[in-house]
Amino acid sequence: MKFDVIVVGGSFAGLSATMQLARARRRVALIDAAAPRNRFTKASHGFLGQDGKSPHEIVATGRSELGRYPTVKLIDAEAVSAAAEGDVFNVTLSGGEVLQAVRLVLATGMRDELPDVPGLDLRWGRSVFACPYCDGYEYGDMALGVLAAGPLSVHQAMLVSDWGPTTYFTQGLHEPDAEGLAALSARGVRIERSPVVELLGPVPTLEAMRLADGRAVPLSALFIAPQTHIVSDLPHQLGCALENGPKGPYIKVDDFKLTSVKGVYAAGDVASPMPNATLASASGVLAGVAAHQSLIFP
């Protein structure tokens, strides 16, 4: 089956790209494996017009809206391979079906590598978060923590302290330098050097952090800046160039979301070092518009 554009990934970026192409009356297939990065969270915040709604609800609404456009085909499957053949791209689905298109939009998302601390994964997206702009407001003036996971953790602790009294847990791995210590002190951030060994409280809530020395530090929410990984192998198969971000590699794109491979666009978290629902949706719009215009002005 041949389309003008195939969009891989059906969360905020992929849906937004597909909408632009649908309204341009182009034949577009949206392939979705139904495993978005935000599936662990209860509500999406800071997304204008969608504040407080669950990501699942937002996606379901988007799919319903796209279903009204006759040139859109929604496909629930995983895209397992993609390759260029002349002027077209062949995309193979998990069931073996092969689709063709002259343009691709990759909106396949990222995977977070969580620290190996008992109880953390059970609270991910519920009381353990990555983004204070997305989830900090609900915990305003409560006891907050930042679990050091990489070079961005000191920066994150500086930010989180605007929402409530903050403790920075170094884990014995990410000790701030002199400048960082001074900056954290100026923000009133407490430093805790005994490693966290367990998260306490009835799941999915958080009540305290158990430390290696036996103490329990009361806490209502924890923030981390985990390392990230590109979920899909398609960017590698297609030969897309990558950028090295502070939390991991992502697809390199130009101002119009074109990758290093002609005819392949990328949008959302997979093409940005800054994960955010609004930015993902906006980048999907730009990728969809750019892919459409490239069909007219190759």
Side-chain angles (χ1 to χ4, degrees), residues 22-297:
R23 292 191 57 79
R25 304 192 303 171
R26 291 290 182 162
R27 294 166 298 163
V28 53
L30 175 62
I31 303 170
D32 184 28
R37 184 183 191 179
N38 57 22
R39 65 189 182 276
F40 302 102
T41 192
K42 183 179 180 181
S44 180
H45 294 291
F47 193 167
L48 190 63
Q50 307 294 336
D51 190 53
K53 295 181 181 179
S54 73
H56 176 77
E57 181 183 0
I58 296 170
V59 167
T61 299
R63 287 174 63 97
S64 176
E65 291 173 353
L66 287 173
R68 297 197 288 265
Y69 290 87
T71 60
V72 173
K73 184 174 179 62
L74 302 175
I75 301 173
D76 296 322
E78 181 183 1
V80 295
S81 68
E85 184 178 334
D87 294 331
V88 302
F89 295 95
N90 294 320
V91 177
T92 303
L93 305 183
S94 48
E97 183 181 2
V98 178
L99 308 180
Q100 287 189 326
V102 292
R103 298 290 186 272
L104 294 182
V105 176
L106 303 179
T108 50
M110 303 290 269
R111 175 179 63 83
D112 295 295
E113 181 183 343
L114 301 180
D116 186 17
V117 178
L120 190 149
D121 60 334
L122 300 176
R123 295 170 172 83
W124 182 236
R126 298 302 182 96
S127 55
V128 180
F129 309 104
C131 172
Y133 294 101
C134 304
D135 298 289
Y137 184 85
E138 285 65 36
Y139 294 89
D141 297 325
M142 298 183 188
L144 307 176
V146 171
L147 187 70
L152 282 180
S153 294
V154 169
H155 173 81
Q156 187 178 45
M158 295 277 290
L159 288 176
V160 169
S161 64
D162 232 27
W163 280 266
T166 301
T167 300
Y168 176 69
F169 299 89
T170 71
Q171 290 300 85
L173 299 172
H174 302 285
E175 177 69 27
D177 58 20
E179 182 180 355
L181 282 172
L184 290 171
S185 177
R187 296 287 293 166
V189 176
R190 176 185 169 213
I191 308 294
E192 185 56 73
R193 293 178 173 84
S194 182
V196 174
V197 296
E198 185 182 9
L199 275 65
L200 304 176
V203 175
T205 61
L206 175 62
E207 292 183 350
M209 307 281 274
R210 176 78 69 191
L211 305 184
D213 62 12
R215 290 179 295 131
V217 178
L219 218 62
S220 296
L222 180 68
F223 292 85
I224 61 174
Q227 292 297 294
T228 58
H229 303 276
I230 296 174
V231 173
S232 173
D233 192 47
L234 299 190
H236 306 288
Q237 295 175 16
L238 293 163
C240 298
L242 304 180
E243 294 269 23
N244 288 316
K247 295 191 293 183
Y250 59 95
I251 301 175
K252 181 179 181 179
V253 293
D254 67 11
D255 291 342
F256 296 96
K257 306 306 174 186
L258 178 64
T259 72
S260 62
V261 179
K262 184 179 180 181
V264 179
Y265 297 79
D269 291 358
V270 75
S272 171
M274 184 176 178
N276 178 278
T278 306
L279 295 178
S281 181
S283 70
V285 170
L286 188 53
V289 169
H292 170 247
Q293 293 191 10
S294 74
L295 296 169
I296 303 170
F297 310 106

